[in-house]
Amino acid sequence: MPILVMKFGGTSVATLDRIRSAATRVGREVANGYDVIVIVSAMAGETDRLVGLVKETGQFFDAREYDAVVSSGESVSAGLMALILQEMDVPARSWLGWQVPLMTTGAHAAARIERIPTRNILAKFGEGMKVAVVAGFQGIGSDGRVTTLGRGGSDTTAVAFAAAFGGERCDIYTDVDGVYTTDPRISVRARKLDRIAFEEMLELAALGAKVLQSRSVELAMRHGVRLRVLSSFGDPDDGAGTYVCQEEEIVESSVVSGVAYSRDEAKLTLVSVADRPGIAAAIFGPLAAAGVNVDMIVQNVSEEGRTDLTFSCPTDQVARAMRAVEEAKSEGVINFRGLLSDTDVCKVSVVGIGMRSHAGVAAKMFEALARENINIQVITTSEIKISVLIDRKYLELAVQALHDGFELERAT
Ligand code: ADP
Ligand code: ASP
Ligand code: MG
């Protein structure tokens, strides 16, 4: 039997009624002749609740116990989905990460999948089981401890299963009917895309579009998994969602295909750093050692041998970042006069493979922001994206201005 992977996100399993409606879709695919691997997320809001409980226990918690707690949301959904499928006379059972076992690295809360043995599940399919319901987001490290794959990680579980089992397709069911030119919750003019190239989707996801976890796109690209995003709400015969595919399969070509944003950014500035060879290594070495994910960096012109150096990182890493640079200062590794932090910034980015061959995208982006009087604090570019750091209060305005500026509401 061909295998299909169907993933249901938090809102798609938020209540027993929602699970029933998801299970009906699964039943249809079984009737279509598939053996189905269903990947489920925790019920909507559950992972946030569990993370909150862990944080209430103390500031510096044991990451292994964090994983033990936050992985439990998916365990509940998997059991409930299997029960409801059985109620519908679809032969199904649940599998927790460790039962598969989905082997991961030991990086708790951000583990990477290393191996998915297929034998156990294939044997059950061989015995007539039709649906394997697998708890997303969770795995097991080589030391036997439960791990999780980072927020949004059930998408990655789904793609990894599709790759491991040679699934015909990996369908990601969510609360929007596909990938849009920007978050449809921010812009009413966002337009649904029928197709998007892996590379563009990867950038959009990495830059904040949470419709897919970026690791899932990376895996799909590497293993050639046919990936589709579609809604679990409404009529199952409505629309085909969005295919994430190879660049060559895309007929529509626009220079910019999407706008992404990330709210959760912070900016730190080291004021008046002694400017000498090796200074960047002396600053970013301790930050890396402290596990700070530095994103954008700017260094100002040096005057009289001193310069200001600014970098951005996720908001929840600011305390760690400040401690790392203060420590490096007290150890005499670096020397600066002041340390400023600003947690009221956000990052807005435009993405498009067409940028490779078109000049002027940056200028157009900056003009669109200038028209709205939005000040740009930091800029970074790569081959297919441009990102700016701006005041968080302008986030929605900036996204809309860029969406309008690049005329994304119009199909080309
Ligand atoms: P799930 O719980 O199903 O995994 P998520 O909340 O993780 O769902 O992802 C779906 C959400 O992603 C949508 O509700 C939407 O607000 C957001 N989103 C952000 N950018 C985009 C985009 N470009 N296209 C579609 N959805 C997007
Ligand atoms: N439940 C996890 C989260 O909220 C994983 C997921 O939904 O993909 O991050
Ligand atoms: Mg998600």
Side-chain angles (χ1 to χ4, degrees):
M1 292 283 188
I3 289 180
L4 189 67
V5 174
M6 303 171 75
K7 179 255 173 179
F8 294 94
T11 43
S12 308
V13 295
T15 61
L16 288 182
D17 274 344
R18 295 293 321 148
I19 299 179
R20 269 186 210 105
S21 119
T24 306
R25 280 167 211 269
V26 175
R28 282 168 64 115
E29 297 295 6
V30 170
N32 286 339
Y34 289 105
D35 281 345
V36 182
I37 299 177
V38 172
I39 310 293
V40 283
S41 286
M43 296 164 102
E46 181 62 5
T47 310
D48 285 341
R49 188 183 75 85
L50 296 168
V51 171
L53 288 175
V54 170
K55 288 190 172 159
E56 271 182 46
T57 66
Q59 203 189 346
F60 299 105
F61 44 79
D62 180 345
R64 292 165 297 193
E65 302 306 345
Y66 167 95
D67 277 351
V69 175
V70 304
S71 61
S72 66
E74 271 68 12
S75 307
V76 172
S77 303
L80 290 174
M81 175 66 86
L83 285 169
I84 287 176
L85 284 163
Q86 290 171 4
E87 274 302 304
M88 295 176 169
D89 291 326
V90 179
R93 72 154 268 195
S94 68
W95 303 78
L96 302 187
W98 67 269
Q99 293 174 308
V100 173
L102 185 143
M103 302 301 302
T104 72
T105 60
H108 286 278
R112 294 176 79 93
I113 299 173
E114 289 190 323
R115 203 155 35 82
I116 302 182
T118 55
R119 209 170 35 142
N120 295 341
I121 290 179
L122 288 179
K124 285 286 171 197
F125 280 141
E127 291 167 18
M129 181 189 70
K130 286 282 137 203
V131 183
V133 184
V134 178
F137 183 53
Q138 46 171 265
I140 181 171
S142 57
D143 61 355
R145 301 292 307 251
V146 170
T147 54
T148 63
L149 308 178
R151 298 306 304 268
S154 297
D155 298 329
T156 303
T157 307
V159 172
F161 268 82
F165 284 80
E168 193 170 296
R169 208 173 55 235
C170 180
D171 283 343
I172 305 285
Y173 286 89
T174 183
D175 55 1
V176 285
D177 61 349
V179 177
Y180 280 69
T181 47
T182 193
D183 187 346
R185 293 182 205 290
I186 294 274
S187 170
V188 290
R189 293 199 277 282
R191 175 172 55 87
K192 201 199 93 182
L193 299 164
D194 292 331
R195 287 161 189 267
I196 184 163
F198 279 122
E199 281 177 79
E200 289 175 323
M201 191 63 241
L202 186 58
E203 285 287 2
L204 286 173
L207 294 167
K210 78 173 182 151
V211 61
L212 286 173
Q213 196 196 34
S214 60
R215 293 279 321 289
S216 71
V217 185
E218 202 182 306
L219 266 187
M221 188 157 125
R222 184 142 36 93
H223 295 280
V225 171
R226 283 179 67 72
L227 183 60
R228 186 164 73 139
V229 176
L230 65 173
S231 170
S232 72
F233 293 74
D235 186 338
D237 295 321
D238 277 359
T242 301
Y243 277 97
V244 188
C245 59
Q246 303 293 342
E247 202 177 322
E248 298 74 43
E249 296 173 58
I250 297 186
V251 270
E252 174 189 355
S253 77
S254 40
V255 180
V256 167
S257 37
V259 180
Y261 65 87
S262 159
R263 259 178 226 285
D264 145 54
E265 302 285 324
K267 182 182 79 169
L268 275 83
T269 301
L270 277 71
V271 182
S272 189
V273 186
D275 194 10
R276 54 167 174 78
I279 191 64
I283 294 169
F284 294 106
L287 285 167
V292 176
N293 299 100
V294 172
D295 180 15
M296 308 165 107
I297 301 173
V298 270
Q299 183 178 347
N300 287 341
V301 175
S302 177
E303 271 179 51
E304 290 160 22
R306 303 196 77 88
T307 182
D308 291 348
L309 199 139
T310 298
F311 64 91
S312 70
C313 69
T315 323
D316 62 359
Q317 295 180 3
V318 169
R320 219 188 296 165
M322 291 183 78
R323 197 169 52 181
V325 289
E326 292 287 10
E327 267 171 27
K329 183 182 182 184
S330 63
E331 286 162 10
V333 183
I334 49 176
N335 173 333
F336 54 86
R337 291 214 184 105
L339 179 58
L340 307 174
S341 79
D342 180 353
T343 49
D344 284 324
V345 290
C346 68
K347 181 170 66 173
V348 178
S349 313
V350 297
V351 171
I353 38 186
M355 280 186 213
R356 286 192 199 122
S357 49
H358 280 80
V361 178
K364 197 164 172 181
M365 178 179 193
F366 304 153
E367 278 159 24
L369 296 172
R371 272 197 298 275
E372 300 295 343
N373 251 318
I374 299 171
N375 187 40
I376 300 171
Q377 305 183 18
V378 184
I379 302 167
T380 52
T381 68
S382 77
E383 202 190 15
I384 66 163
K385 67 121 200 235
I386 305 167
S387 300
V388 295
L389 204 67
I390 59 171
D391 208 322
R392 193 174 302 136
K393 66 172 184 266
Y394 296 127
L395 189 148
E396 283 81 5
L397 182 63
V399 168
Q400 194 60 65
L402 295 172
H403 199 270
D404 290 347
F406 288 100
E407 299 181 72
L408 298 184
E409 77 276 23
R410 280 211 331 238
T412 46

